[in-house]
Structures are given as C-alpha cells and as structure tokens.
Amino acid sequence: MRDRIVIIMTMITVLVACSPKNGEKITGKTKTDPFIEQLMAKMTLDEKLGQMTLYTTDWESTGPTIRSGYQDDIRLGRCGALFNSHTVEFTTLLQKIAMEESRLKIPLLFGYDVIHGYKTMFPIPLGEAASWDLAAIENSAYIMSKEAAASGLHWTFAPMVDITREPRWGRVMEGAGEDTYLGSRIAEARVRGIQGENFAKADRLLACVKHFAAYGAPIAGRDYNSVEISERVFRETYLPPYEAAIKAGAKTVMTSFNDYNGVPASGNKYLLTDILRNEWGFNGYVVTDYTSINEMVNHGVAKNQTDAGIMAVNAGVDMDMQSAAFQEKIKAGINDGRVKMEKIDASVRRILMLKKELGLFENPYRFSDKKRETTTIMAKENLDASKDMAKKSVVLLKNSGILPLAKKPMKILVAGPLADDKNNLIGAWSASGEGRHCVSLYEGLRQHPAAGNYSFEHIKGCEIEGNDQTQFSIILEKAKTSDIIILAIGEHKDMSGEAASKSVIRIPGVQEDLLKALKSTGKPIVTVIMNGRPLILNDVHSNSDALLEAWWLGTQSGNALADIIYGDYNPSGKLPISYPRNEGQIPIYYNHKNTGRPLNPNDKYTTKYLDVPNTPFYPFGFGLSYTTFTYGVPTVAKSTFSSQEPITVSIDVRNTGNFDGEEVVQLYIRDLVASVTRPVKELRGFQKVMIKKGETKKVTFTLTKKDFEIYNQNMEKVVEPGEFHVFVGGNSDTQNKVSVTLQ
Ligand code: BGC
C-alpha cells in the first residue's frame, strides 16, 4: 500500500471516545421547562410510567397482542399515547377520557403507521425511491401527514430508513432500497415532508425514524432475524440514513426488533445512548417497536419482563410500545435501585416536552377539526400529487419500441390477475387507504382521453396464486384477435411488508405461464408488474416486448400507468435496488468490494459462480426512457485537489431520441487505494434533469471533503489522499469516468 497522509477529521468515531464514563449517565440534552417541571412535580410514579407507555387501540392490530382495557388505562393515567387510533371522531372520544376523567388531564398523543399515504395512497416507499425525485417524495410525505393530521393524528411511525440488500425481506417495500447515499437523501426529504419547518402546525406530524438499527440486514432475509454485520458495514452502510433523518430534525426514533452485536436493539445502550444521544445529540424520545421489550426474554438477554423493562430503560428507551413492561413491571427496579429515578424523569420530560411543543396542553383538540378532516382527505390536490408521484415512480425495464402505444385504432386485450385489481394497489402498510378508491389499470386505460383510439377487452387469465389454467384457452382465443396485449402480473400486496419474507422471489402461481402462453400468439405484449420487492424477471423480460415496474402505485395507479402507456408521460424512474438473476446471488449490491481475486472469466480462481454471472439482472440505478441519453466524458478543472477544496465535475448529457425526457444523472466515486478495502463504486450525487429532444444539458456536481470520507483501520473518519475515479452515467454500471487526485 502506498504511503498516505491521514487527515483525521474533527469528529472521531466514537467507539471509545464518546461513550459515557459510566452506564448511569443521563444522556442527551433534554430541554427543561417550568410548566413541565411543575406538572412533573405533581405526578405519581404510576403516572410517570403511564406517560412512558404506548398502547394500540382495538381498532386494528399491527402486531401480535391486543391489550384490552386501554380506555381504563387512560382514565387511570396509565397510558400517555395510543396508536391505531384515528379519525377526528375517535381521537376526540379518547382525548375526552384523558381530559375529563384522568387526574392530571395530560393530553394523549395519537400515533399511526402513516407510511405512504393516509387515505390518498401514494406508491410504496421503494417505488417512490425509484423516482429519485426528492421534491416529489417530500411532497408525498407532506400530503400524507396533512391528511393524517386532519384526521386527529399527531405522530407517524415513518420514515422507515432501513437500508437493505435483501429482496427476500418483505419490508424491502417500505424503505428506499440498497444505497446509503440515496437512502439518506430520501430519509431527509421524508422527515421534511412529515414535520415541515414546524411539526406543531395543523398539517404536520411528528416523524419517527425507524427501525433503529440495522433492521434491514436480517440474516437470510427472514424478518425479525438476527443481524450479524461488522461495525464497519454497520457504520458505513446502515447507520447514515438514521443520522441523516435525525439531523433533518426527526423528533422520535423507534428501536428495531433485531439484536445487533448480540444485544437486542431495545436494550442496546450502545445504539440508544452512545450513538443516538451522545454521538448525534438526539434530544427527542425513543419508542420501542411493538412488544420488543418483552421479546428480550425470547432473545435470551432477560429472565423476565421486569428485567427486560429495566434493561430497556437503562439502555435509553423512553416509551414502551405494547409490552406493558414500563407500566407494570419496572417499579421493582426503581425500588431496588436498578433504575435511577432521574432516568425515568428524563424520559417523561422528553415526552411531555413534545406534547407541549405540539400545543396539546393549550388545546388538546387542536388536531380535531371535523371540517378540516372532511375538506382535506382525498382533496383533488392530494390525488393529483399521488398521480404525479406514481408516474415518477414507474421504471421502464424494457422497450422494444412498442411503448408509447401508437395512437391508431387497435384492439387491446387487458389481461392478468392485476389488470383490473384495486385492492392490491394500496400496497402493504396502507393506513386507512381503501382499495375501492383506487383506479385500476383497466379503468385508467379506458378513462384516459387517448382511449378513444382503441377498443378494449379484459380477461384475467389466472389468479395471482394457484395452478388453475382453465382460463388460458379462452384468453388465447381473445389474444389472437387482439392487436396488442397489456398484461398485469405480480404479487399480492400481503406478499411484502412485515412478516412477509420469501425464499423464492418470483412471480407466483401460473402468471409466468400465462405470459408464455400469450407470447406464443406472436402478439406484442406490454407487461406491467406490480410488486413490493425485486423479483427474478429473466423470463418475464424475454417474453415481454415492453416491461414496466409499477410496484404498488396507490390510489391513482391506473391513471398514472395510462399516462405512461399512451405517452403523456415519459418514464423516468431508476431502480433503487439491484434485481438478481437468481436467489443464490443474494445479497447482491452494486457497491461491493473488489476482492483480492476480482472476476476474470478466463481464470478459474477468481471470484465467481460456476452457474450464474456475478452481475445482477438489472443493476442499481437502471431504468429506461422513451428517449435515449448520450453522455459525454466527465470533466474537472484540474486533476489534483487539496482535500479542503470543492471539486466540480461537469458532464454533457444529450437527449438523442425522439421524446423530451427526464434523466437521473448519477455520480459514483471509487477510492483506488486506501488503508481499508473500498467498494468498487459509491453513489455520491444524482440529479434528475429534464432534457428536451435534441438538447444537450451540462450537469454539474460539487464534491466536498465529506464525499471522500472513510473509516480508517482505527474507525476514525478520515480523508486519505490519493487517486479517485469519479464516474458519471445513467446507472451503476457506468464506466464513464475521470480521475482526480486528492492531496
Ligand atoms: C412494526 C413497526 C410499526 C409498529 C406499529 C411493528 O410491528 O415493526 O414498523 O410501526 O408495528 O404498528
């Protein structure tokens, strides 16, 4: 390794330096406030523990157990926050119990999983990430928050910022994909969209960054499984989006179910205190995930619920979701000195402070305006925003030229189990979204202004699951007399989301057989896939003339897809995650290391499989357009820079096709020689630019010191001088590069 000068950055990683001197230190700067202090002086221990307790109502369940009697808990001051409770009517009813029947009349806080829409549904988060459009993502988060806040809610359990390299994991649908840089920018955008400048405004919510930490790295992709990653991978790949969300102002954090380095997150002091509060200065409150305190008994780190509760509060948890461990069990630990009262007070203070900042002590019903609820929910501008987001989220994976459809008389056969489906379009984690409000693909195609050119027929052909092929003969007859087939296939919405991991990530049932059968008619096929995770699409690709990745696009699905299919909108999405060629390649991601034996097809003893290429089927960042873009060579003003100097990289991108279109121009770097092994590419910038046909646009990026930082062998964050390649192109496969040297 070449000699290098190591420039140690001001912020040194923490492992040792920033850890509190002893386990008892009360961490994070909690604001104090005379009103809160006076209130706390009046509170009994039970009432304090009540504020640290969050229960679900009996409206719906997002986890295993429902506690009965939560209304009595409110009366008795044994619960300060509720989730799965919404609508002005229901939240008002519950708030009244707190305000009129509890001793101290402390207002309740209402939370809910508003993940990608409240009533107006937007694309699933993985789909939104495919837009690479931060303004649109921020707006989507804003609209969902506005609707939820109008329906009596204060707090959403979003954004989920878990990076994942695991398409088998069902919750891949809920995040922003595999990349840390893209994920961090999206995390910030979502926090801005949810909380705005002032989370107390009537159209905003408190954000909750989840699931802290590394929930997206379960071994073998099985939900809730252990996470076994090195500190380096943890810090480089998984941690930054949480930090970005917190730096963007997120006020609450949710722990994850998994253990990290042998310690379940809800009892992990390293995560909740050393990193979150001491390193990052987080001063909001930490809530656990659903019953995850109790689950520490199953993890085998606590003998019983009491010990688990004590472990959680001492690690840095402020609020217990559904375990009832704080409310019912940890008094024993307070009495015998295992839990310091200051610890309890600090948590209660944090929670009450946020209730105060939300304005709930002034007016506990300020989010309970029936008229606002009626006028806000599913307002036209919300539906327009949903359609806009849906169009931007679609990724064109293949096009032999059949799309956009020619505007001439044609008979269109709209086929497949998802072609006229509405219920699946809301995707998993759909809050109070309803399938009946969604526009199906078939509806969208027929109600579009361009529909007059065509005649339509619809047959399902098969179901999403099962082996039934009895409709095949009928559909094949119809296909023969049609000019074109639009086939919608994919997953059921419950095949992704929580507790929905799969070992085989292919389109289920006989749907691919249906595609193959239709292909035999020789008619052109536009395949639209609807799904919540990367799928193995090799055969789907080869049997289709055009292929659109349409995720679960939400309320406006059909209208958005019709705009794309008819050419009113030119697809601009790019995959936020790699699509494998087969399950055996998983985990597969673009920012892998070079290894000591990089692939050489002519040398047996290099890193490769005998039966499948190393590359993914579709790489990260990939997506086509109806037009084509040609990239010039990236340029820099000089080849050598000091590490303090910003580096400007410019490139000409030319629209060489026949349509105006947007391109996501992506910039990656590679650190050629460092004190530790570095990925072959790392995303460090992107811009989504509209380029008219025939036009050339100069796209300029500025790289700063931060973009070149790495953790050295001592886990210090440094910039190491030396040569870097800077790649600029339309996906992570690009080899279009310039070399720069940092001194
Ligand atoms: C999920 C969380 C969710 C919580 C409350 C849990 O099962 O992991 O993401 O916020 O339930 O519904």
Side-chain angles (χ1 to χ4, degrees), residues 62 83 113 157 171 210-211 254 257 289-290 321 498:
T62 46
F83 70 113
D113 290 286
F157 303 141
R171 297 194 83 167
K210 68 188 190 184
H211 304 80
M254 187 185 291
F257 289 121
D289 204 346
Y290 204 110
M321 183 196 289
E498 187 174 348

Side-chain angles (χ1 to χ4, degrees), residues 492-508:
H492 188 279
K493 71 177 168 58
D494 297 333
M495 289 175 178
S496 59
E498 187 174 348
S501 293
K502 291 179 94 183
S503 64
V504 175
I505 53 166
R506 293 168 192 241
I507 294 184

Side-chain angles (χ1 to χ4, degrees), residues 274-290:
D274 299 355
I275 294 182
L276 191 59
R277 297 213 181 270
N278 293 347
E279 247 185 81
W280 297 347
F282 174 67
N283 66 2
Y285 66 79
V286 174
V287 61
T288 67
D289 204 346
Y290 204 110

Side-chain angles (χ1 to χ4, degrees), residues 257-376:
F257 289 121
N258 56 280
D259 59 335
Y260 171 68
N261 201 16
V263 186
S266 298
N268 195 317
K269 183 177 151 295
Y270 174 60
L271 296 179
L272 305 182
T273 298
D274 299 355
I275 294 182
L276 191 59
R277 297 213 181 270
N278 293 347
E279 247 185 81
W280 297 347
F282 174 67
N283 66 2
Y285 66 79
V286 174
V287 61
T288 67
D289 204 346
Y290 204 110
T291 57
S292 66
I293 294 183
N294 290 350
E295 290 164 23
M296 292 204 282
V297 174
N298 286 340
H299 275 289
V301 295
K303 234 182 4 252
N304 50 38
Q305 224 186 336
T306 306
D307 288 359
I310 292 169
M311 187 171 172
V313 79
N314 282 335
V317 169
D318 299 302
M319 191 184 274
D320 163 4
M321 183 196 289
Q322 276 299 91
S323 282
F326 284 2
Q327 188 215 67
E328 293 176 352
K329 302 285 176 185
I330 62 168
K331 261 194 278 180
I334 298 169
N335 292 337
D336 67 17
R338 280 185 289 166
V339 178
K340 296 263 178 298
M341 200 52 213
E342 301 91 83
K343 200 98 191 162
I344 302 292
D345 282 341
S347 294
V348 175
R349 197 171 281 125
R350 286 179 191 125
I351 293 162
L352 292 178
M353 239 357 255
L354 278 182
K355 288 189 176 182
K356 177 161 187 274
E357 286 173 11
L358 272 173
L360 293 178
F361 285 106
E362 278 159 42
N363 178 5
Y365 304 104
R366 55 186 300 265
F367 288 82
S368 311
D369 178 338
K370 191 83 196 135
K371 187 156 165 246
R372 184 167 67 222
E373 184 177 41
T374 318
T375 54
T376 305

